[in-house]
Amino acid sequence: MMRYKKYSDIPISLIKTAELTPKSSLYRQNFHIEPSSGYLNDPNGWSYFNGKYHLFYQWSPLRYVGNSEVWYQGWFHMISEDLVHWEALGPGIEPDSVYDSHGAYSGSAIEDNDQLLIFYTGNTRDKDWVRIPYQMTATMDKDGRISKNKTPGFTGLIPGYTDHFRDPKIWKEQNAYYAIVGIQRENKTGTCMVLKSDDAIHWDALGEIQTKLTQFGYMWECPDYFELGNQGVLIFSPQGLTAEGDKYQNIYQTGYLVGDPLNRESLQFNHGEFHELDLGFDFYATQTMISPDGRRILSAWMGLPEINYPTEKFGYCGCLTIPRELNIKEGKLIQQPIEELKQLRYDHKQFHETINTNEYFMLETGALFELAVTIEFKKSTKLSLGIRADKQNEARTLIEVDKNANEIRIDRSQSGASFAEEYGTTRTIPCTISNETKLQIFVDQSSIEIFINGGESVASGRIFPNEDQNYLFIESTDGDSAVQLDYWKLTKC
Ligand code: FRU
């Protein structure tokens, strides 16, 4: 008997049970993608095809139902015309073949010859629980019908590497298809394998990408290679880095290397330093795609493996970040919320305030809003924002912009329901604090995403406030600060 199956084979009573409790959650998101039941992790197959954006995600709908007989892990399919309003179509790639019987794992998709070309990892285990990965190809036609190719694109292991071999990210050049895939060397270090194909059906392993990071964690998940301007960018999620000062605070990381374009023959990638993409609390397993107007847009899981989130008691877990547009400035990625999100704004309010020590600015924000803040330090040294605060400004997510230290600290110790405290409750983001420091903040029912100085740094985190936490407080330390504030309510999608 197969461990996994088709969604339509799952007893309807079980699906109904799984979908019941999430509805009673205080924490349901309003403009972020999250599952109707079970567990969401990586964004997959992120693409534009047949006039629509397609976004799939890793989905285990029955994770919290507690029936070990029925287990399902595959792709869930969403479509959108504007990257903001999404329609849920249901299961996408299902774990229904011998090549993906233990999970249709992460992968990617591109438009090709009027079809969506899909490349993903089929996870299997034999009777002794030995893992055999298959890199699987499939296509989706314009009517949304998905057909898996009968034979895998690439079968099994590569000598010198372990069974941790997954998450192909595909791209196409004039006469060839390429994919970059996460893999673990036999010496238990992580890297990426480059695959190539003439027909997108049969794939060969060209070899390992040559980077300077030869000892950098034990596995690299969800890699992505693309070129932006004239530069090559490699994004990946390394596991096993040890925290170093303010860096690498989360259980696992996601970051990037910018360099010269990848040499397609030698696989040499000359690159600069590794930078984390997000310096907040919950961020992993990114994927990018190109929009029809040529923007490189990123999606990510606003969550991490092996962390227990407060929504789990309501039978679901995980959401995706808002999409971010990527650009390069001085060898670093700049990440900005996509323009399309402006559609969500209404009820604009604008304030120009001078805030003195021992005073505060307060605004009833609700739970769903966007803020654009420009800070001018006059005599002050620090500006503190209490986000989703209660009336006393005791429970809140605290953002401290510290001029002397040139850093921004985010403290979620008093945000609401606590979780993941073993990884610390504050994050410190080094940045140049000028007299024109800008923050753009998106708050949904249970998340906060902070874009600093036009996207030079970003910090995201899940927060789980109580219902009375609906206020914003701003305070200034050691003298006055001038603050220019734009506030918008955001509509539910
Ligand atoms: C990353 C990951 C991938 C894998 C997928 C399975 O979160 O572990 O490497 O393909 O999740 O859900």
Side-chain angles (χ1 to χ4, degrees):
M1 199 184 79
M2 280 204 324
R3 181 171 153 81
Y4 300 72
K5 44 171 80 181
K6 264 191 143 17
Y7 193 69
S8 52
D9 296 335
I10 300 172
I12 191 83
S13 58
L14 216 54
I15 292 173
K16 287 252 168 341
T17 310
E19 287 180 348
L20 203 61
T21 43
K23 295 201 175 87
S24 61
S25 165
L26 315 170
Y27 305 129
R28 290 303 287 175
Q29 294 278 61
N30 296 288
F31 59 95
H32 287 85
I33 291 172
E34 66 179 0
S36 59
S37 73
Y39 195 80
L40 164 154
N41 51 307
D42 319 352
N44 290 163
W46 178 220
S47 52
Y48 186 82
F49 168 62
N50 195 25
K52 291 205 167 67
Y53 293 98
H54 295 259
L55 178 56
F56 301 78
Y57 58 76
Q58 279 289 295
W59 186 44
S60 315
L62 304 174
R63 175 113 162 207
Y64 303 103
V65 177
N67 181 329
S68 56
E69 292 296 302
V70 191
W71 229 99
Y72 178 102
Q73 177 158 8
W75 291 24
F76 188 87
H77 189 187
M78 316 265 307
I79 50 169
S80 172
E81 280 177 15
D82 60 7
L83 292 169
V84 176
H85 301 90
W86 290 92
E87 186 187 338
L89 293 187
I93 305 276
E94 303 213 51
D96 58 355
S97 80
V98 289
Y99 299 118
D100 52 21
S101 57
H102 292 64
Y105 275 13
S106 285
S108 54
I110 49 168
E111 213 230 285
D112 188 40
N113 295 329
D114 275 348
Q115 291 187 315
L116 189 70
L117 183 61
I118 299 171
F119 201 18
Y120 71 100
T121 300
N123 186 50
T124 69
R125 302 271 192 178
D126 69 9
K127 58 181 183 347
D128 302 318
W129 209 240
V130 173
R131 187 202 304 270
I132 303 168
Y134 295 92
Q135 312 310 326
M136 298 289 296
T137 58
T139 51
M140 186 175 81
D141 67 17
K142 288 192 165 172
D143 296 322
R145 279 186 301 254
I146 293 177
S147 328
K148 292 181 181 176
N149 287 321
K150 298 244 161 6
T151 51
F154 192 95
T155 296
L157 311 190
I158 295 179
Y161 300 87
T162 74
D163 60 347
H164 288 286
F165 179 29
R166 55 180 172 267
D167 312 336
K169 177 71 173 23
I170 186 172
W171 79 92
K172 187 183 168 183
E173 295 183 3
Q174 269 108 342
N175 294 315
Y177 300 86
Y178 287 86
I180 188 137
V181 195
I183 199 164
Q184 182 183 57
R185 300 185 192 96
E186 260 171 3
N187 70 4
K188 301 284 154 70
T189 54
T191 184
C192 294
M193 185 57 60
V194 182
L195 305 186
K196 191 177 178 189
S197 171
D198 294 333
D199 55 9
I201 294 174
H202 307 98
W203 290 78
D204 296 316
L206 289 189
E208 191 182 312
I209 191 169
Q210 301 298 311
T211 72
K212 286 182 223 149
L213 304 179
T214 49
Q215 299 272 336
F216 198 67
Y218 59 80
M219 174 63 188
W220 295 4
E221 294 192 314
C222 302
D224 193 346
Y225 176 78
F226 55 89
E227 277 152 28
L228 197 52
N230 302 322
Q231 292 180 282
V233 180
L234 178 67
I235 300 183
F236 59 101
S237 293
Q239 298 185 311
L241 304 184
T242 8
E244 239 180 78
D246 297 326
K247 294 200 279 192
Y248 315 150
Q249 297 294 309
N250 298 337
I251 180 170
Y252 303 128
Q253 276 58 53
T254 296
Y256 66 91
L257 306 170
V258 171
D260 298 331
L262 172 72
N263 184 313
R264 303 317 195 246
E265 264 86 58
S266 65
L267 303 181
Q268 188 64 40
F269 182 49
N270 297 323
H271 59 84
E273 243 182 279
F274 177 82
H275 297 285
E276 286 178 81
L277 266 170
D278 191 291
L279 292 164
F281 300 91
D282 304 282
F283 187 86
Y284 198 66
T286 55
Q287 195 165 97
T288 69
M289 58 122 186
I290 301 210
S291 62
D293 59 0
R295 289 171 295 161
R296 176 63 62 175
I297 303 180
L298 175 136
S299 173
W301 173 22
M302 204 184 335
L304 283 161
E306 294 155 53
I307 299 291
N308 292 111
Y309 289 87
T311 59
E312 291 182 38
K313 65 171 187 287
F314 298 103
Y316 73 102
C317 187
C319 76
L320 300 181
T321 61
I322 53 173
R324 305 176 182 178
E325 179 181 344
L326 302 183
N327 284 292
I328 298 185
K329 191 171 128 197
E330 290 156 15
K332 287 189 73 178
L333 284 180
I334 301 293
Q335 306 172 68
Q336 282 164 313
I338 52 161
E339 279 290 308
E340 287 88 335
L341 288 163
K342 289 187 177 157
Q343 304 170 49
L344 295 176
R345 294 171 171 177
Y346 70 104
D347 238 352
H348 183 201
K349 292 196 175 76
Q350 216 169 27
F351 304 89
H352 297 272
E353 300 284 327
T354 299
I355 305 167
N356 289 305
T357 316
N358 303 325
E359 291 177 0
Y360 58 80
F361 170 84
M362 182 190 181
L363 178 70
E364 185 166 359
T365 55
L368 215 63
F369 60 95
E370 180 185 340
L371 291 179
V373 191
T374 306
I375 306 162
E376 187 191 334
F377 290 91
K378 296 202 172 237
K379 297 212 177 66
S380 61
T381 56
K382 191 172 82 176
L383 193 91
S384 309
L385 295 100
I387 309 276
R388 292 293 309 269
D390 62 7
K391 268 197 168 146
Q392 292 71 41
N393 195 22
E394 282 165 5
R396 48 110 181 89
T397 301
L398 179 64
I399 304 175
E400 292 185 305
V401 184
D402 189 327
K403 188 178 163 204
N404 292 347
N406 270 312
E407 63 188 33
I408 295 180
R409 292 182 294 274
I410 303 166
D411 179 345
R412 72 171 176 189
S413 61
Q414 310 302 320
S415 293
S418 52
F419 67 104
E421 288 180 306
E422 61 275 33
Y423 294 95
T425 52
T426 59
R427 293 289 181 269
T428 300
I429 299 139
C431 47
T432 312
I433 308 289
S434 70
N435 243 346
E436 273 278 298
T437 296
K438 286 184 193 298
L439 305 179
Q440 188 179 1
I441 304 173
F442 291 82
V443 178
D444 201 342
Q445 194 67 39
S446 56
S447 66
I448 179 164
E449 288 155 284
I450 308 165
F451 293 79
I452 300 164
N453 289 334
E456 283 175 7
S457 308
V458 190
S460 307
R462 299 302 304 268
I463 50 170
F464 298 94
N466 297 320
E467 276 156 313
D468 63 343
Q469 293 177 230
N470 280 322
Y471 299 89
L472 164 72
F473 282 84
I474 308 183
E475 293 169 286
S476 180
T477 306
D478 296 333
D480 55 336
S481 304
V483 174
Q484 196 181 311
L485 181 77
D486 285 280
Y487 158 87
W488 296 267
K489 285 188 181 151
L490 299 179
T491 47
K492 291 186 180 196
C493 292

